[in-house]
Amino acid sequence: MQRWRHAGDRKNFGDWLVLTIDIQMNEAGLQAACEQLIAATSDMEKFLDLGNGEQSNDYKIIFRHGDTIVHERAFFHEAVKFAALRSLISQYVSNVNHESNTWQDEYHPRGSYAIAELVLADQNYIPQFARLLFNWDMGHETYHYRLIDKLFEKYGYTEQTLFLLAARVCADGQHSGENVLRAIYRHGFKRQILLEDFVSVALAILPDPESAWQLREFARIYAGEDKAQYAQVTEIFLNALRKDKRFAAVMGEVQDSFAEDYDEHRLMEVAGFLADETLGDWNEGLDDALVESTDLSKLLPLDAA
């Protein structure tokens, strides 16, 4: 295992950190690599130290199998096949996300490759991924819509995907509404979801009481053009809010928000298209990130990690 500094384009980008790990593509070899990765990222300040008084904003991990370069996504895709390694991968994701709004490159928050492959292999890690939505900059999301939709499609309505749906609503994001619409109308959640369960989970993870208005968007998507159903959903949500003392100070504002003249949610205008749309691979089109085009000839060795 070795840390390197890659000389970036100083006009546009600073240098970034590259970690190389030699691996064997068997369970023991993949486990050893995961353990090295955890050790390297246990102190992120030290990990991102470029040795010149600067901290790297971005980083790249290169796994080397002999003369073959193994992409980070390919590595984790293989590693998650072994159940015993999943907790190690989860620990790596936790290590690199101890701060908020941190990025691995232009398109991927830290640990994205690892957590994506982890949740696609084991839905028990979906709550960890869901909580990261509150940690990441969802105002500038990239692959999240496609990955979340894939999880709803793959697992259907379960305790874990209910938690993810609630987090998606409460953490907001550019494509939150699209994910809700497809969960409800494409992936069959409307036939199965218990609204009392949804609002209970949502209120437990809302970042602050003032965010309670975000439940209105879910209610409007769920009800579609049915005003009577919107009123029913509203009553269920408001009753839950009234029972929770945390929301006492904002109840007037929330009630006013829900009581506004009902209008068809903006997404319902294109609901058929959104529900029928076939989404591509979660990482489609994002492999041209700056760190993905790393010129290995520019690597300058740092101290052995």
Side-chain angles (χ1 to χ4, degrees):
M1 179 173 62
Q2 173 68 50
R3 294 189 314 123
W4 309 78
R5 185 173 77 246
H6 185 278
D9 178 353
R10 280 297 185 180
K11 184 177 180 180
N12 299 302
F13 299 97
D15 296 356
W16 61 87
L17 190 286
V18 176
L19 179 71
T20 57
I21 300 178
D22 293 321
I23 63 172
Q24 295 296 319
M25 298 299 288
N26 53 42
E27 183 174 4
L30 295 170
Q31 177 175 337
C34 288
E35 291 171 347
Q36 291 179 67
L37 192 55
I38 290 172
T41 57
S42 61
D43 183 337
M44 287 299 291
E45 184 174 353
K46 179 179 179 181
F47 174 64
L48 295 172
D49 183 4
L50 291 171
N52 57 0
E54 298 179 1
Q55 289 276 302
S56 176
N57 290 322
D58 299 334
Y59 70 84
K60 179 176 183 176
I61 302 171
I62 296 176
F63 298 96
R64 299 184 300 198
H65 181 223
D67 295 330
T68 302
I69 299 296
V70 178
H71 189 280
E72 185 175 345
R73 179 176 179 182
F75 170 84
F76 287 115
H77 183 75
E78 292 302 313
V80 297
K81 294 178 181 178
F82 299 98
L85 303 189
R86 293 172 186 170
S87 62
L88 299 179
I89 297 168
S90 172
Q91 181 60 56
Y92 158 69
V93 174
S94 296
N95 281 1
V96 298
N97 281 288
H98 73 288
E99 299 175 297
S100 296
N101 193 19
T102 52
W103 293 81
Q104 182 166 338
D105 58 44
E106 305 99 298
Y107 304 116
H108 302 90
R110 293 180 186 174
S112 288
Y113 289 118
I115 193 64
E117 295 298 332
L118 189 57
V119 293
L120 286 169
D122 188 338
Q123 69 169 317
N124 289 315
Y125 290 95
I126 286 179
Q128 181 181 15
F129 170 63
R131 291 186 181 94
L132 287 173
L133 302 183
F134 295 94
N135 211 42
W136 292 340
D137 178 9
M138 296 303 291
H140 297 88
E141 63 179 273
T142 53
Y143 65 86
H144 307 80
Y145 171 36
R146 293 194 299 273
L147 177 60
I148 291 171
D149 186 78
K150 183 64 177 179
L151 296 173
F152 290 152
E153 177 185 50
K154 179 180 176 69
Y155 297 114
Y157 181 72
T158 68
E159 180 181 347
Q160 291 82 3
T161 56
L162 172 64
F163 188 91
L164 176 58
L165 180 63
R168 185 54 159 148
V169 171
C170 296
D172 204 8
Q174 291 173 297
H175 300 289
S176 173
E178 288 93 327
N179 272 141
V180 172
L181 187 146
R182 284 174 64 88
I184 295 296
Y185 295 106
R186 181 181 177 91
H187 302 309
F189 281 36
K190 189 163 187 176
R191 296 190 302 271
Q192 298 175 279
I193 192 169
L194 297 176
L195 293 172
E196 292 83 358
D197 289 346
F198 170 80
V199 71
S200 176
V201 173
L203 295 190
I205 60 177
L206 270 173
D208 53 69
E210 289 74 16
S211 300
W213 66 267
Q214 293 173 198
L215 297 174
R216 185 184 64 177
E217 181 175 31
F218 174 89
R220 291 189 170 182
I221 294 173
Y222 181 92
E225 299 178 354
D226 190 334
K227 294 183 180 180
Q229 188 170 69
Y230 177 70
Q232 293 171 359
V233 178
T234 295
E235 191 58 26
I236 291 172
F237 286 5
L238 291 179
N239 280 339
L241 286 161
R242 293 186 189 106
K243 294 176 182 178
D244 193 324
K245 294 181 179 179
R246 292 177 301 153
F247 299 96
V250 298
M251 273 307 301
E253 181 180 344
V254 173
Q255 288 180 171
D256 289 345
S257 176
F258 274 93
E260 291 176 3
D261 289 342
Y262 179 85
D263 60 337
E264 184 179 337
H265 191 277
R266 61 180 179 81
L267 289 177
M268 302 314 293
E269 298 176 4
V270 291
F273 168 75
L274 287 173
D276 294 337
E277 182 186 16
T278 299
L279 303 184
D281 178 78
W282 69 268
N283 199 52
E284 182 178 358
L286 299 184
D287 279 339
D288 57 349
L290 178 67
V291 294
E292 291 300 333
S293 58
T294 296
D295 181 352
L296 300 185
S297 68
K298 292 185 177 182
L299 295 185
L300 304 172
L302 296 170
D303 56 295

